[in-house]
Amino acid sequence: MPRPLLRRHAIAASVAGLALPSAAQAQPRPLTRIAFGSCADQTKPQPVWDAVLGYRPDLFLFLGDNVYADYATSVADTASLFAAYDRAQKIEGYSRLRREVQHLAVWDDHDYGENDGGAGYKLKGQSKEIFLDFWRAPDNDPRRRREGLYDARIFGQAGQRVQVILLDVRWFKSPWRPTDERNAPGKERYLPDDDAAKTILGEAQWAWLAEQLRQPADLRVIGSGIQIVADGHGWERWGNFPRERQKLYDTIRDAGASGVVLISGDRHLGALYREATGTPYPLLEATSSGLNKFFPNPREAGPNRLGGVYGLPNFGTIDIDWWEGKVALAIRDDAGQVMRRAEVRMEMLRAT
């Protein structure tokens, strides 16, 4: 499969790997609308893109399972990855968003190549190169020279500066602890594991994240393929490695990083969460999943969830009102209507 040609945009040289349509060149205004989503099955219709484009985002974040490449067998091979991406780029809405809206992407397990996979996946190097080619990363993109696909970008000027951090929760991840009662509420697949040797991000990515969080920014969006603060279920989540999750909270605190909000995917449902225990300040998380993959009647205890889960196709949005100092996280349906919403003042996103 030949490497797609990079689009020639004026900003491309200074923002390597970021697809910027001509209409977005040299925009003086700050980011005020960010959309995001996950779980787009290329074998099924994807009407949600009309609503995403109708929202007119300044930036779209793909949070993983951007294609499903491991359907034929339990583990994908490079042929299935190529086929999945080839089919995805022929979906009009998907293709149009990639042409017209600036975007960033990271993977989760199904575009990584192995369901719930981690560090032991043998084809992860090939998966990474295919991923970077599909997302038009240039040859000098640092992700081509290091392990993993973690990435960070900064948008805007001082006072209205947004930092986007996308974490790779696959490349370095240790094996989960299997459940002792499959499908039992709260421990459907996995159990919490307090093993200090287990990791999600790996040593190099942890060091990189600490460095990124020390960069000046007014709002920070941290994206993870799997849920971070969400509790009450036994599917993949950061809470299955509680030491790693607390390390994330401590890294935010130690860096003095204000303005953090969290976004995630993976679950085939939409939901909002809030956590204030062990965190530097209350952290909001918006989970948007899936763009066309969903559980119509999902169940989870959700002890720190804000409202109910949403079990139909959805995408997430972040509306930033710099002048009022507010950020609103929302889950929207495939018509663009707000189904769940939480708002926070930026001044509350600071460690006390």
Side-chain angles (χ1 to χ4, degrees):
M1 177 177 175
R3 179 172 298 173
L5 294 175
L6 295 173
R7 296 184 176 277
R8 299 178 181 275
H9 295 313
I11 308 177
S14 61
V15 192
L18 178 65
L20 292 172
S22 56
Q25 293 179 19
Q27 278 192 335
R29 70 184 190 88
L31 292 185
T32 60
R33 289 185 167 202
I34 302 172
F36 59 95
S38 66
C39 304
D41 184 345
Q42 73 282 354
T43 69
K44 302 180 185 297
Q46 297 183 6
V48 69
W49 296 116
D50 288 340
V52 174
L53 290 161
Y55 171 71
R56 298 177 64 84
D58 303 316
L59 175 68
F60 188 90
L61 304 175
F62 290 86
L63 294 180
D65 295 344
N66 308 304
V67 297
Y68 281 70
D70 58 347
Y71 267 8
T73 62
S74 61
V75 178
D77 59 22
T78 55
S80 66
L81 279 166
F82 280 127
Y85 284 119
D86 182 63
R87 189 161 181 174
Q89 69 183 355
K90 294 174 182 176
I91 298 172
E92 175 54 32
Y94 198 124
S95 181
R96 182 182 166 199
L97 185 135
R98 294 178 68 219
R99 291 194 309 268
E100 298 180 4
V101 179
Q102 57 183 340
H103 54 273
L104 295 170
V106 73
W107 58 20
D108 196 35
D109 53 341
H110 295 291
D111 41 358
Y112 183 61
E114 182 178 37
N115 183 47
D116 295 358
Y121 179 49
K122 294 181 180 180
L123 294 179
K124 62 184 182 181
Q126 293 95 316
S127 294
K128 187 180 79 162
E129 290 307 310
I130 296 168
F131 179 100
L132 291 172
D133 288 349
F134 178 79
W135 294 104
R136 303 188 182 103
D139 290 342
N140 63 353
D141 190 299
R143 292 172 295 176
R144 292 192 183 275
R145 301 190 302 274
R146 70 184 180 209
E147 295 188 311
L149 278 176
Y150 51 93
D151 195 13
R153 309 295 170 92
I154 290 180
F155 304 82
Q157 304 301 314
Q160 296 178 326
R161 183 176 290 149
V162 178
Q163 181 184 45
V164 175
I165 298 173
L166 298 181
L167 301 176
D168 185 338
V169 297
R170 294 296 163 191
W171 188 279
F172 305 97
K173 186 188 71 66
S174 302
W176 301 119
R177 179 187 174 192
T179 185
D180 58 2
E181 191 177 357
R182 190 176 177 88
N183 291 327
K187 51 181 182 178
E188 289 84 355
R189 292 293 183 276
Y190 304 107
L191 298 174
D193 189 344
D194 200 42
D195 186 344
K198 295 288 185 74
T199 186
I200 292 178
L201 298 188
E203 183 177 351
Q205 187 174 185
W206 273 120
W208 169 89
L209 176 59
E211 179 182 353
Q212 294 302 316
L213 288 170
R214 291 186 175 90
Q215 302 298 316
D218 302 290
L219 180 70
R220 305 174 198 270
V221 180
I222 298 181
S224 165
I226 59 174
Q227 292 180 310
I228 299 174
V229 310
D231 277 325
H233 65 79
W235 304 98
E236 290 193 287
R237 61 187 181 91
W238 278 68
N240 289 332
F241 288 165
R243 289 175 181 266
E244 286 287 273
R245 184 166 68 176
Q246 188 58 52
K247 184 174 181 178
L248 177 62
Y249 299 161
D250 293 344
T251 300
I252 294 171
R253 177 187 292 108
D254 294 346
S258 61
V260 171
V261 295
L262 308 172
I263 59 175
S264 57
D266 177 63
R267 288 290 314 288
H268 297 183
L269 55 80
L272 300 174
Y273 303 82
R274 181 181 185 272
E275 183 57 71
T277 301
T279 63
Y281 43 82
L283 292 175
L284 288 179
E285 176 174 7
T287 297
S288 176
S289 170
L291 292 161
N292 71 342
K293 296 280 287 185
F294 60 95
F295 292 140
N297 296 297
R299 298 286 186 272
E300 70 169 38
N304 57 358
R305 194 178 62 241
L306 303 175
V309 296
Y310 182 70
L312 290 173
N314 64 85
F315 67 101
T317 59
I318 304 172
D319 288 285
I320 310 164
D321 189 333
W322 295 108
W323 302 271
E324 287 286 339
K326 297 178 180 179
V327 181
L329 278 65
I331 304 302
R332 296 174 183 256
D333 67 12
D334 58 1
Q337 299 299 308
V338 174
M339 296 291 103
R340 306 286 185 270
R341 185 177 185 274
E343 184 178 281
V344 62
R345 298 195 64 85
M346 292 187 196
E347 65 188 20
M348 302 301 294
L349 302 178
R350 294 189 178 90
T352 57

